[in-house]
Amino acid sequence: MQALRLCRQARASLASFDSLGSRVDRSGAVCTALHQVSRCWFASKASPTSYSELTVGVPKETFAGEKRVALSPTGVSTLVKAGFKGVLIEKGAGAGAKFTDADYESSGGKIVDNKDAFGQDIVLKVRPPKLDQEVGHFKDGSRLISYIHPARSKELLDELQKKHMTVLGMDCIPRTLSRAQSYDSLSSMANIAGYRAVVEAANQFGRFFTGQITAAGRVPPAKVLVIGGGVAGLSAIGTAKNMGAVVRVFDTRAAVAEQARSLGAEFLTVELEESGEGTGGYAKEMSKEFLDAEMALFRQQAKDVDIIITTALIPGKKAPVLITRDMVESMKPGSVTVDLAAEAGGNVETTVPNEVINHKGVTCVGYTDLPSRLPTQSSTLYSNNLSKFLLSMGPFTGHKEQFYIDHKDDAVRGALVLDNGEMMWPAPPPKTAAQPPKKEKKKEEPAGPVDLYKPTLNNALVTTGGLGAIMALGVASPGAVFSSMVTKFGLASVCGYQTVWGVTPALHSPLMSVTNAISGLTAVGGLLLMGGGYLPSNTAQGLAATAVLASAINIGGGFTVTSRMLNMFRRPTDPAEYNYLYAVPGAALVGSYAAGHLSGYPEMTNMAYLASSGLCIGAIACLSNQKTARTGNALGLMGVTGGIAATLGAIGGDVPLYGQIAGAMGAGGALGAYLARSMAITDLPQMVAGFHSLVGLAAVATSVSSYMAHGASDPVALTATFLGALIGTITMTGHACWPACHCFEATWKPHADTCSYMPAVGPGLLNCCCDMQHMLQPGAAPSGTRNAMSDIDWVLLSTVTKSHV
């Protein structure tokens, strides 16, 4: 449309030529017509152009110290595959970024000289072209995509206008446009600058960043103040924190506070409340009162911190001075300042652009080329931003495989500085269509009282079906043993589900460890099958002793691992705990049982089992909350101890047998506790899996021992023996293989931010599936299923031997 309009104006000027009288008037008309004809020709180039008709040139950057290149070999390959006629790279353009000419040629590019690189249809650069050295090389009417800084490049733009160029500034792309985030090279470079600023500070600083306590003495951590919480500031925060420094952050934008705290930094504030939210991702200028309070804060912090990193910029204006000369002079000798705003005037008064100076014992870093100091990384990211932006111009507005400067594209219009020589900067603010207010749909409430007949009927029918199924088991039951096992099975499942349903995700690992230790009650089955003297006398008794030993290792290790995990959550400000006092009720339980049993009261064993079961369930319930988690660990240990003590009383063996039991239990418990204490904290999840594989081993050994010792004439006992061996084998092999498959967890861990435990800490194949579901869906909570399965395991495996006693 613009080309058609200009051509019509040119024809009108030529048509009026004959009507003009004087030579001067005719000359003026000719000049006007020729100018409009040239504008018509250049405007015609604004129409969509196929990639196959366009060549792209990438000249070498000539700015002093600049090592970046506009396009990486990967970027060249991307443009070639998109269909561009050719991508021409100046010889040695990528040398500073460690990209060789051979890399470019293998990606489909062509190596040319400087003049040919500038003489293409589209030229890609990093820095603005030099007015005296590079502007003359551009072809008239060509396009340039580069950093331009139009607010301070008037002379450069005047010369580019004379060549009727179309110029798009990578620094002018609207940063608030969500679609343009992949083109936002300012954020890419700021991210690198923030990282590099910390590296430069560490290079100049004379101590460790992290605190250390060594034989030679204590080294305090470095204190770092980051002023400005934009992309560069957040990058600096993360880097400094990862290096072990104490990081403090100040920003006028309240939204930065949460981001800074999430990175582990302390967010500083002033007493005066004023919002610093500006446009385009930058902070706005603040009032005098706020600035005075801000400066007082900086003056106070300068005396305490070791390193100050400043990142504050205001678009189109000189960077504000935030750290004055007297503040720098108040810093401790050996301190460092790094000014990321040095190129725009600097936030630190003592900064000298492009230099590192020592001002009264304080090192002031004023580098303006921090991204260029990581040239390979910065060139790669800039190339990605640039190539994606280039390939969006046209296709985004429906012109597939065509280059088109479409003013309807907010990203293109925002970046457009010159359009065929016509000044287009600054761009108008993006038009946002007013969203009509959403009409809230009012739920039609039925007149009169709500009819609850249907939902109540449905619930009643479901309840009827469930109760009917339970009663049908009474008809199908072959005897009291089966009914007893089903009752325990059902109650254990319901208790496990209800107990752990609301567990805090952070406590999943300790909870799994405790339930793992409780499942060590498979030792009960082994204890009932043990025999002989100080040593087993046959294979069945040897398998029973093996089951007891494996269960004891799991019990001792499980409770120790839980204690170590819970200690990780302990804060210095938490009050002292005295959970060792729970040894009193534990001793009372065992002592009262022993006294009653020895006095001839036959039901003491069942009551001891009941008390122990209640303690185990209470332990799981307590581990659902951080405040009661350690109490839960103590209750679990009491429950397991009570259950084993009751079993020992029911055995009624002689001294040699009790000696064999004591040896197996003592050796296993001590070994498990030792292993749990000696493992690195990062290996505890694998240790939990390893311990639980011993539960499977105990289940298998108990089942086989039961079959060898008593046979299986009863179908119920035979079924229980088979299920015990099956589930035990799955548990043993699955958990034994888990540590070897730890790499799988490392692969999926980024997708499970809310999951604090490792997979496969519950028994059996079903639990592995539940763990996988939790890994893939971080919001899921299959813990109840896992814990219910722990109880199922215990019921099935313990009743194998009870049916024979």
Side-chain angles (χ1 to χ4, degrees):
M1 293 300 292
Q2 183 185 9
L4 180 61
R5 175 176 56 82
L6 292 173
C7 290
R8 286 174 179 171
Q9 292 177 358
R11 285 199 301 268
S13 298
L14 291 173
S16 63
F17 176 76
D18 292 333
S19 63
L20 297 174
S22 67
R23 180 178 298 178
V24 174
D25 291 337
R26 291 183 179 184
S27 299
V30 170
C31 291
T32 301
L34 291 175
H35 175 68
Q36 290 174 341
V37 167
S38 65
R39 290 190 64 193
C40 169
W41 183 80
F42 286 120
S44 67
K45 301 184 73 174
S47 59
T49 307
S50 173
Y51 291 161
S52 61
E53 301 176 13
L54 296 171
T55 57
V56 178
V58 181
K60 183 177 181 178
E61 299 296 324
T62 57
F63 188 87
E66 182 59 73
K67 298 179 181 179
R68 291 174 292 177
V69 63
L71 212 58
S72 67
T74 302
V76 171
S77 177
T78 299
L79 298 186
V80 171
K81 290 178 181 178
F84 279 90
K85 183 178 179 180
V87 181
L88 286 68
I89 316 295
E90 182 180 349
K91 182 178 177 62
K98 311 304 180 185
F99 300 138
T100 65
D101 292 342
D103 293 334
Y104 284 111
E105 289 179 323
S106 63
S107 300
K110 182 181 178 182
I111 303 301
V112 297
D113 59 18
N114 177 265
K115 185 176 180 181
D116 286 340
F118 273 102
Q120 305 309 312
D121 301 314
I122 301 174
V123 178
L124 308 179
K125 276 183 57 60
V126 178
R127 295 274 186 171
K130 289 187 175 180
L131 187 62
D132 55 343
Q133 299 177 16
E134 298 177 331
V135 171
H137 296 326
F138 286 107
K139 182 170 64 174
D140 287 355
S142 60
R143 298 92 167 176
L144 169 65
I145 307 177
S146 171
Y147 283 119
I148 292 298
H149 311 303
R152 58 177 190 261
S153 304
K154 185 178 184 307
E155 292 184 11
L156 172 63
L157 294 178
D158 288 343
E159 292 300 316
L160 296 176
Q161 275 187 289
K162 294 176 183 178
K163 300 180 78 66
H164 301 281
M165 289 186 63
T166 295
V167 179
L168 295 110
M170 290 296 291
D171 52 317
C172 301
I173 296 175
R175 303 183 72 182
T176 55
L177 190 65
S178 60
R179 179 176 69 86
Q181 290 181 1
S182 60
Y183 322 144
D184 186 6
S185 63
L186 289 176
S187 292
S188 298
M189 298 302 105
N191 180 30
I192 295 172
Y195 169 85
R196 185 69 191 195
V198 177
V199 173
E200 295 293 342
N203 182 47
Q204 299 293 337
F205 190 53
R207 295 204 323 263
F208 292 138
F209 263 47
T210 184
Q212 293 187 7
I213 299 177
T214 68
R218 179 178 176 274
V219 179
K223 297 177 182 178
V224 178
L225 172 62
V226 178
I227 301 178
V231 177
L234 292 174
S235 177
I237 293 167
T239 306
K241 193 66 182 176
N242 289 338
M243 292 176 66
V246 175
V247 184
R248 301 169 186 172
V249 186
F250 179 84
D251 196 288
T252 57
R253 296 164 290 186
V256 176
E258 183 177 350
Q259 297 171 326
R261 293 188 183 110
S262 70
L263 293 172
E266 177 189 356
F267 188 76
L268 304 177
T269 58
V270 296
E271 295 182 0
L272 184 65
E273 292 187 6
E274 183 177 342
S275 175
E277 300 290 344
T279 58
Y282 295 92
K284 70 175 186 179
E285 290 188 272
M286 309 299 289
S287 66
K288 183 180 183 303
E289 292 77 10
F290 187 93
L291 292 176
D292 290 341
E294 179 183 84
M295 297 301 277
L297 174 66
F298 294 158
R299 186 167 282 105
Q300 176 187 4
Q301 290 294 320
K303 298 176 182 178
D304 185 46
V305 299
D306 301 301
I307 296 167
I308 297 178
I309 299 174
T310 62
T311 69
L313 289 169
I314 298 177
K317 297 186 178 181
K318 183 181 180 296
V321 175
L322 304 176
I323 303 298
T324 58
R325 187 178 301 273
D326 66 289
M327 294 181 194
V328 174
E329 293 172 355
S330 70
M331 296 179 72
K332 293 172 285 188
S335 298
V336 180
T337 67
V338 183
D339 194 343
L340 271 68
E343 193 171 7
N347 299 138
V348 182
E349 192 172 6
T350 55
T351 294
V352 177
N354 293 313
E355 292 186 21
V356 177
I357 66 167
N358 187 295
H359 181 82
K360 296 187 177 181
V362 177
T363 302
C364 302
V365 180
Y367 293 137
T368 60
D369 60 344
L370 289 174
S372 186
R373 289 174 179 267
L374 270 74
T376 305
Q377 185 66 70
S378 55
S379 296
T380 300
L381 295 182
Y382 183 79
S383 173
N384 291 342
N385 297 140
L386 184 54
S387 57
K388 289 177 181 178
F389 182 45
L390 174 59
L391 293 176
S392 76
M393 288 186 272
F396 180 75
T397 53
H399 303 279
K400 188 176 180 181
E401 296 183 357
Q402 291 180 314
F403 176 84
Y404 182 42
I405 303 296
D406 193 338
H407 291 211
K408 296 179 182 178
D409 185 339
D410 289 336
V412 172
R413 182 61 189 91
L416 191 60
V417 179
L418 295 178
D419 189 6
N420 292 316
E422 184 177 352
M423 179 61 71
M424 305 299 294
W425 183 86
K431 296 180 180 179
T432 55
Q435 296 291 332
K438 294 182 179 179
K439 295 182 180 179
E440 295 183 0
K441 294 182 179 180
K442 295 183 179 180
K443 295 182 179 179
E444 296 182 1
E445 297 182 359
V450 178
D451 186 6
L452 297 178
Y453 176 78
K454 281 190 174 181
T456 305
L457 176 62
N458 291 336
N459 292 337
L461 292 176
V462 171
T463 305
T464 301
L467 294 175
I470 293 175
M471 299 311 295
L473 290 175
V475 177
S477 175
V481 175
F482 177 83
S483 300
S484 175
M485 287 193 295
V486 169
T487 300
K488 294 173 182 176
F489 178 88
L491 292 177
S493 300
V494 172
C495 288
Y497 177 85
Q498 293 294 334
T499 302
V500 303
W501 179 248
V503 176
T504 303
L507 291 173
H508 281 170
S509 289
L511 177 64
M512 294 306 100
S513 182
V514 160
T515 55
N516 180 32
I518 292 174
S519 65
L521 283 172
T522 47
V524 170
L527 290 172
L528 295 172
L529 290 167
M530 287 182 69
Y534 289 106
L535 294 174
S537 60
N538 55 45
T539 304
Q541 294 172 0
L543 288 173
T546 301
V548 172
L549 176 65
S551 298
I553 294 173
N554 177 65
I555 292 170
F559 285 113
T560 305
V561 167
T562 303
S563 179
R564 290 191 65 188
M565 287 182 173
L566 292 175
N567 287 336
M568 292 171 58
F569 295 101
R570 188 171 182 83
R571 295 166 295 190
T573 56
D574 287 346
E577 294 182 348
Y578 305 96
N579 290 320
Y580 62 85
L581 295 177
Y582 284 102
V584 175
L589 171 63
V590 175
S592 60
Y593 166 72
H597 179 72
L598 294 175
S599 299
Y601 293 98
E603 293 303 314
M604 288 301 293
T605 298
N606 286 332
M607 292 302 100
Y609 279 142
L610 175 61
S612 299
S613 300
L615 288 170
C616 291
I617 294 173
I620 298 173
C622 287
L623 273 156
S624 64
N625 187 284
Q626 180 67 43
K627 294 181 180 179
T628 58
R630 291 180 180 81
T631 301
N633 196 36
L635 294 180
L637 184 57
M638 289 167 53
V640 172
T641 303
I644 292 176
T647 304
L648 292 174
I651 291 174
D654 52 15
V655 173
L657 177 59
Y658 280 123
Q660 180 189 156
I661 292 173
M665 292 293 297
L671 178 59
Y674 171 77
L675 292 174
R677 290 194 188 98
S678 60
M679 294 298 291
I681 197 71
T682 53
D683 294 331
L684 290 183
Q686 294 95 299
M687 177 59 69
V688 171
F691 282 146
H692 206 53
S693 68
L694 297 177
V695 175
L697 172 63
V700 174
T702 301
S703 299
V704 175
S705 174
S706 174
Y707 182 80
M708 293 178 65
H710 305 287
S713 57
D714 185 357
V716 176
L718 180 61
T719 301
T721 300
F722 172 77
L723 290 176
L726 175 64
I727 297 176
T729 302
I730 295 174
T731 301
M732 177 177 64
T733 56
H735 289 78
C737 293
W738 153 238
C741 299
H742 182 60
C743 57
F744 181 83
E745 183 273 334
T747 303
W748 283 101
K749 189 173 182 180
H751 303 284
D753 294 336
T754 61
C755 177
S756 64
Y757 68 95
M758 303 301 178
V761 292
L765 182 61
L766 175 60
N767 299 313
C768 295
C769 298
C770 292
D771 286 324
M772 184 66 68
Q773 177 187 5
H774 195 97
M775 290 301 290
L776 297 177
Q777 299 178 1
S783 306
T785 306
R786 277 197 303 278
N787 287 283
M789 284 298 294
S790 295
D791 292 325
I792 292 170
D793 271 350
W794 181 81
V795 171
L796 287 174
L797 300 176
S798 62
T799 52
V800 168
T801 53
K802 288 185 68 176
S803 62
H804 295 285
V805 174

